[in-house]
Amino acid sequence: QSALTQPPSASGSPGQSVTISCTGTSNDVGGYNYVSWYQQHPGKAPKLIIYEVNKRPSGVPDRFSGSKSGNTASLTVSGLQGEDEADYFCNSYVSRNNFVFGTGTKVTVL
Amino acid sequence: QVQLQEWGPGLVKPSQTLSLTCTVSGGSISSGGYYWSWIRQHPEKGLEWIGYIYYSGNTYYSPSLESRVIMSVDTSKNLFSLKLNSVTAADTAVYYCARTGLLTGYRFDFWGQGALVTVSS
């Protein structure tokens, strides 16, 4: 199972928006609405920010939103803040109880 | 609030077995509805799902690792464990345990802080 493809980096100024793509296949992203996104600050564990493509857990700001079209999922961070500078990983359920993560994207707030 | 914590040796010799345990607090492993996952992250790299276990003992492993992985659960102690045998330097990583919601979108919603395991002689 190959990792989902994400751009290595993305950046934006405070207050701007940044969108990160996560491309898979019809066997993972395109086949299930079980795409989740995780934020990871240096030296910390990943934190769930989006699940089931576009749902936010309690406590996650509505600046974070998710979507999906075909085999590509996307995470948008609106109104960028300094604390949003982190690595972001997507994840998708794959058939027969298997999961695949994305390659990760480093978001820089300029 | 569910909390998870990994523990185990931080250094393992090549060809030996890596063993880690994850203690769960703030919730019961036996409550059902959740699988309990192991996920690893190689240095400066992405995340890799290793597998998960249900409180009943049912397990599912990543196809790429299933020949070397064994997971177990101890509901009386509210913990679950990972064994990875025949390790090489490529198994050096930070290992995380995480709760996986089956009825809530297959999401990894609570994570341990991670345990760095280095494979070296």
Side-chain angles (χ1 to χ4, degrees), chain A residues 13-93:
Chain A
S13 299
Q16 289 187 332
S17 295
V18 66
T19 297
I20 303 166
S21 60
C22 169
T23 301
T25 70
S26 58
N27 292 322
D28 38 63
V29 174
Y32 303 92
N33 285 326
Y34 296 129
V35 176
S36 51
W37 288 89
Y38 302 84
Q39 177 192 62
Q40 186 179 34
H41 288 110
K44 301 294 187 181
K47 173 190 172 185
L48 175 70
I49 55 172
I50 294 288
Y51 67 99
E52 289 186 60
V53 177
N54 56 16
K55 297 179 180 178
R56 279 178 291 105
S58 173
V60 174
D62 59 7
R63 302 185 292 104
F64 294 91
S65 62
S67 62
K68 190 183 87 166
S69 178
N71 297 336
T72 299
S74 298
L75 171 72
T76 297
V77 186
S78 306
L80 268 175
Q81 298 183 4
E83 67 208 51
D84 300 331
E85 186 161 294
D87 293 327
Y88 292 81
F89 295 92
C90 60
N91 176 271
S92 177
Y93 177 80

Side-chain angles (χ1 to χ4, degrees), chain A residues 33-36 38 40 43-48 51-52 57 89 91 93 96-104, chain B residues 35 37 39 41 45-49 52 60-63 96 100 102-109 111-114:
Chain A
N33 285 326
Y34 296 129
V35 176
S36 51
Y38 302 84
Q40 186 179 34
K44 301 294 187 181
K47 173 190 172 185
L48 175 70
Y51 67 99
E52 289 186 60
F89 295 92
N91 176 271
Y93 177 80
R96 293 178 291 174
N97 286 284
N98 193 11
F99 296 85
V100 62
F101 282 94
T103 50
Chain B
Y35 269 79
S37 286
I39 296 162
Q41 186 169 32
K45 294 201 174 166
L47 299 160
E48 179 183 20
W49 182 75
Y52 57 20
Y60 294 93
Y61 303 140
S62 168
Y96 295 99
T100 312
L102 298 189
L103 304 178
T104 52
Y106 287 99
R107 58 183 178 174
F108 304 102
D109 55 1
W111 296 63
Q113 84 282 2

Side-chain angles (χ1 to χ4, degrees), chain B residues 45-118:
Chain B
K45 294 201 174 166
L47 299 160
E48 179 183 20
W49 182 75
I50 300 170
Y52 57 20
I53 187 166
Y54 200 54
Y55 76 92
S56 61
N58 283 357
T59 54
Y60 294 93
Y61 303 140
S62 168
S64 64
L65 293 168
E66 65 179 341
S67 64
R68 298 194 291 131
V69 173
I70 297 175
M71 294 183 185
S72 59
V73 62
D74 186 334
T75 54
S76 67
K77 297 181 180 177
N78 219 37
L79 57 79
F80 60 106
S81 300
L82 167 71
K83 290 187 185 300
L84 180 66
N85 59 38
S86 304
V87 297
T88 69
D91 295 308
T92 293
V94 175
Y95 286 76
Y96 295 99
C97 55
R99 190 180 79 167
T100 312
L102 298 189
L103 304 178
T104 52
Y106 287 99
R107 58 183 178 174
F108 304 102
D109 55 1
F110 291 98
W111 296 63
Q113 84 282 2
L116 174 62
V117 179
T118 301

Side-chain angles (χ1 to χ4, degrees), chain B residues 12-23:
Chain B
V12 181
K13 289 182 167 47
S15 80
Q16 294 193 341
T17 297
L18 177 159
S19 296
L20 290 171
T21 296
C22 180
T23 300

